[in-house]
Amino acid sequence: MKIDQGISNPFHPHHKLKLEYTEIPFDCDGCKEAGIGLKYSCRHCDFDLHKACAKPSPAITHPFYKNCEFQFFYKPPGEHMRICDACRKDVLGFVYHCRRCDFDLHPCCANLPQVLDDGEHNLYLSLKISSSCHHCGGKGRGWSYRSQCKSYNLHVSCVKELLVESWQAMYFNADKNKVRELQTRIPSLSGTLRNHDGGRGRKAKKYCEMAGGAVRLIVSAILGDPTAIIGAVVAGLVSR
C-alpha cells in the first residue's frame, strides 16, 4: 500500500500538504473561494487548498479565449481589485491572469469542465448565457451551464452565491429557519422548469426529470472537484 507522503507548495513551505476528502465545506487559503471534496491540507496549520490551487500550472490557455495565455499568480497583479471573468466574483488570492487581454480566472473556474455528464444528459459550459438564468432571471455577464435543449441555464456565479449563503447559515449561524429558506432557493432543474413553463407540456416534463444529478454535477465542478460524490450538504441542497 502506497503511503501518501504529501506535496510541497511554495505558498506553504513549512509543512507538506496531504490529499484529503471532506464533505464539510472549507475556505481555500489560496484563492479564498469555497471548496468541498478533495483538498490538500496541513492539519498543523489548519491550511487547505483546492487541488487546482495546490498543483497549479505556470501557464494555461482556455478555449473561450483563443488569443490569451494565462499566467498563474499567487496574488492578484496590479493595484486595483480584479474580477474573475467566469464567475464575476472578486479575485482575492490565487489567479490566472492574461496580461495581453487583462482577463482573470479563479483556478477552479479555469478548470471547470466544458461538458458535465450525469449519465443521461449533458450540460455545457457557455461563455455567454443563451437565455435567462433560472435563479436570477437575468442574462448579464459571466459563464453558465446550460442543458442541450438550452431550456435550462444557470450562472456559475449564482450557484456560488447560494452555496456560500447556505453554508454560512448551516455551519456558522446555526439558524435552521435560514438554512431551510436558502436551501429552497437552490435552483434545481425540476423546480425552475415548472416555474418557467407552468409545469405544462411534454417538453417541460421531459426536462424536469433531469433535476438532481445535473445540479449536483454543477455544484461539484464549481467547488473544485468535478469527480466528487458530494454528501449530505449538497444532496440536501439539490433535492429540494
Side-chain angles (χ1 to χ4, degrees), residues 7-13 17 28-33 40 47-57 71-77 82-84 87 89-97 103-111 160:
I7 64 169
S8 298
N9 186 282
F11 192 69
H12 190 74
L17 306 178
C28 176
D29 289 288
C31 67
K32 314 301 183 184
E33 291 283 292
Y40 279 94
F47 181 88
D48 301 303
L49 292 177
H50 293 117
K51 287 176 63 181
C53 292
K55 302 171 74 172
S57 299
Q71 305 291 327
F72 179 79
F73 289 84
Y74 284 105
K75 61 180 182 179
R82 309 203 67 82
I83 295 176
C84 175
C87 68
K89 301 297 183 184
D90 291 343
V91 173
L92 302 174
F94 293 3
V95 63
Y96 284 103
H97 173 72
F103 290 138
D104 299 280
L105 296 174
H106 290 125
C108 287
C109 290
N111 285 278
K160 279 190 173 185

Side-chain angles (χ1 to χ4, degrees), residues 64-178:
F64 286 167
Y65 305 104
K66 304 290 187 183
N67 299 319
C68 292
E69 182 179 47
F70 291 89
Q71 305 291 327
F72 179 79
F73 289 84
Y74 284 105
K75 61 180 182 179
E79 299 179 356
H80 302 290
M81 177 64 70
R82 309 203 67 82
I83 295 176
C84 175
D85 286 277
C87 68
R88 307 305 301 169
K89 301 297 183 184
D90 291 343
V91 173
L92 302 174
F94 293 3
V95 63
Y96 284 103
H97 173 72
C98 175
R99 287 192 173 97
R100 176 180 177 179
C101 302
D102 205 36
F103 290 138
D104 299 280
L105 296 174
H106 290 125
C108 287
C109 290
N111 285 278
L112 284 174
Q114 292 290 303
V115 182
L116 294 174
D117 179 3
D118 70 349
E120 296 183 15
H121 309 281
N122 287 341
L123 291 163
Y124 298 89
L125 188 64
S126 301
L127 176 62
K128 296 180 180 179
I129 195 165
S130 56
S131 61
S132 298
C133 171
H134 280 78
H135 167 62
C136 69
K139 291 188 177 180
R141 300 175 65 186
W143 299 358
S144 68
Y145 274 104
R146 63 172 176 81
S147 58
Q148 189 168 8
C149 66
K150 301 183 181 180
S151 296
Y152 181 78
N153 288 272
L154 188 58
H155 280 128
V156 168
S157 59
C158 286
V159 178
K160 279 190 173 185
E161 179 182 313
L162 288 168
L163 286 169
V164 170
E165 286 182 13
S166 183
W167 285 339
Q168 285 176 341
M170 187 179 298
Y171 285 93
F172 302 111
N173 298 334
D175 185 340
K176 293 183 179 180
N177 291 328
K178 182 67 172 177

